[in-house]
């Protein structure tokens, strides 16, 4: 096992901005599995999953090699923010990065050269941020691995349909190299995270089984639903968001209430947020009362009408 600090640049504070890579060599030949977290800095549960996974790896007999980047964007982690506070950039829109660009682009460039270009498989862990909680996995170029992670809900982006597929992502770099890539969205929000952490640990092990890095098949997975379309529903007013939605993974009828925005000043309801999807399934939600800004991530609802649903 080795830990490498890769210097990126010097900050105005005098501090050195670096990324840290942890490498674990297995006993037999096999692929190099790359695991990363905190491309967005408000997704601490993903870092926790990798910290606990690194502890497990010490007693694990596996084939191949594992490269862990626990924090892809230290600036955003420090700021506990989705974007880097120094330049307001969203790192997952600027890949492959630019060594002569914004500091976030410099970081992305370092991540591309030292991590994304050195791996044979990528699992990129994301979460819902400090307020929303989320639960789904993308299917892009490695359906077997995405399914092996074991989440009940998956998303297969479709050209021309509403969803959450963007340019400038980490997996855009790896997919461009035909590297099997899995983006996981798991946990987050102002709720107990241990069940999400446990699922994250199991999910990574399941992917290692699917890759032959661990003996035996992956654990049996739950019945899975794959949606092709996701509606992101954002509050148009700021205030206290009071959740009304069913739990994640449950269906919701069109027009049903997702939540209400209450003014903390007048104490009146200023907005009732309704589900725009005729036959929906909850993917991202606020599980406790918290404060939202206009345009924040409020809810994500999958469309069950053209979803792939296992019997
Ligand atoms: Zn994220």
């Amino acid at each position: 096992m080795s830990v490498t600090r890769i210097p990126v640049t010097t900050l105005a504070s005098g501090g050195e901005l670096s990324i840290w890579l942890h490498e674990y060599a297995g006993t037999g030949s096999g692929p190099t599995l790359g695991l990363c977290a905190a491309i967005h800095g408000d997704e601490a549960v993903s870092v926790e999953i990798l910290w606990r996974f690194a502890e497990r790896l010490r007693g694990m007999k596996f084939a191949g090699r594992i490269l862990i980047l626990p924090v892809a964007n230290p600036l955003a982690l420090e700021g506990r923010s989705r974007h880097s506070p120094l330049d307001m950039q969203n790192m997952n829109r600027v890949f492959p990065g630019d060594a002569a660009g914004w500091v976030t682009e410099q970081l992305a460039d370092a991540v591309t050269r030292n991590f994304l270009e050195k791996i044979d498989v990528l699992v990129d862990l994301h979460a819902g941020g400090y307020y929303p909680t989320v639960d789904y996995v993308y299917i892009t170029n490695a359906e077997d691995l995405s399914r092996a992670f074991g989440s009940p809900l998956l998303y297969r982006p479709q050209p021309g349909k509403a969803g959450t597929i963007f340019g400038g992502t980490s997996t855009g770099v790896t997919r461009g190299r035909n590297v099997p890539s899995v983006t996981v969205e798991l946990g987050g929000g102002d709720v107990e995270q241990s069940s999400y952490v446990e699922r994250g640990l199991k999910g990574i092990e399941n992917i290692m089984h699917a890759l032959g890095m661990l003996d035996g098949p992956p654990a049996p997975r739950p019945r899975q639903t794959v949606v092709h379309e996701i509606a992101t529903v954002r509050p148009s007013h700021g205030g206290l968001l009071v959740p009304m939605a069913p739990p994640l993974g449950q269906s919701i009828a069109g027009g049903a209430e997702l939540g209400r925005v209450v003014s903390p000043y007048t104490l009146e309801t200023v907005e009732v947020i309704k589900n725009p999807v005729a036959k929906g399934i909850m993917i991202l939600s606020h599980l406790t009362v918290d404060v939202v800004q206009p345009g924040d991530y409020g809810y994500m609802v999958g469309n069950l009408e053209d979803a792939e649903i296992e019997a």
Side-chain angles (χ1 to χ4, degrees):
M1 184 270 188
S2 69
V3 185
T4 311
R5 181 178 66 84
I6 297 158
V8 178
T9 185
T10 310
L11 300 168
S13 64
E16 193 156 88
L17 180 62
S18 310
I19 53 173
W20 294 74
L21 277 173
H22 299 244
E23 183 178 343
Y24 293 81
T27 46
S29 64
T32 297
L33 169 63
L35 306 170
C36 71
I39 281 179
H40 297 129
D42 58 348
E43 300 172 358
V45 62
S46 314
V47 183
E48 179 182 350
I49 290 169
L50 291 187
W51 163 59
R52 292 192 188 278
F53 189 71
E55 293 206 318
R56 281 195 185 185
L57 267 180
R58 288 180 194 124
M60 204 184 277
K61 191 173 175 294
F62 66 93
R65 199 166 70 104
I66 295 179
L67 211 51
I68 297 180
L69 174 63
V71 180
N73 188 345
L75 296 173
L77 186 90
E78 179 192 42
R80 295 183 293 188
S81 146
R82 179 171 171 82
H83 296 190
S84 313
L86 282 189
D87 59 10
M88 306 297 176
Q89 299 293 303
N90 178 346
M91 187 185 219
N92 219 23
R93 302 291 180 273
V94 304
F95 280 104
D98 179 355
W102 293 101
V103 65
T104 304
E105 295 176 289
Q106 294 181 34
L107 267 171
D109 171 70
V111 169
T112 296
R113 286 185 295 105
N114 296 286
F115 177 69
L116 298 175
E117 291 180 350
K118 307 276 171 158
I119 55 180
D120 303 316
V121 181
L122 172 65
V123 178
D124 183 7
L125 296 177
H126 290 256
Y130 281 112
Y131 299 111
T133 306
V134 71
D135 193 348
Y136 71 107
V137 174
Y138 281 76
I139 296 176
T140 54
N141 68 352
E143 176 161 355
D144 53 334
L145 299 182
S146 290
R147 284 189 183 272
F149 188 81
S151 288
L153 196 79
L154 297 97
Y155 167 53
R156 193 192 302 279
Q158 307 285 316
K161 287 211 171 191
T164 57
I165 194 82
F166 302 103
T169 62
S170 59
T171 54
V173 175
T174 48
R175 282 184 284 115
R177 297 177 52 235
N178 289 320
V179 165
S181 304
V182 177
T183 303
V184 174
E185 298 277 356
L186 183 64
D190 196 9
V191 291
E192 167 63 29
Q193 297 290 302
S194 55
S195 65
Y196 298 116
V197 171
E198 201 46 48
R199 278 184 46 204
L201 294 169
K202 284 238 165 60
I204 296 168
E205 280 187 24
N206 283 336
I207 284 179
M208 290 176 71
H209 281 289
L211 290 167
M213 297 173 75
L214 288 172
D215 285 339
R221 56 178 177 77
R223 283 200 308 200
Q224 293 178 325
T225 298
V226 182
V227 297
H228 295 173
E229 193 168 24
I230 296 176
T232 299
V233 187
R234 302 173 184 276
S236 36
H237 295 85
L240 284 184
L241 180 63
V242 180
M244 315 285 285
L248 295 180
Q250 292 206 5
S251 57
I252 179 168
E257 279 189 28
L258 289 164
R260 291 171 178 229
V261 181
V262 172
S263 165
Y265 311 101
T266 67
L267 308 182
E268 289 171 345
T269 297
V270 293
E271 184 178 358
V272 176
I273 304 173
K274 293 193 171 167
N275 169 29
V277 181
K279 227 179 128 189
I281 182 164
M282 295 304 305
I283 293 180
L284 175 145
S285 190
H286 291 244
L287 304 182
T288 53
V289 174
D290 55 44
V291 175
V292 287
Q293 304 275 12
D296 269 351
Y297 275 102
Y299 298 89
M300 284 167 54
V301 183
N303 184 357
L304 281 178
E305 249 159 4
D306 65 347
E308 303 159 42
I309 301 170
E310 282 182 334

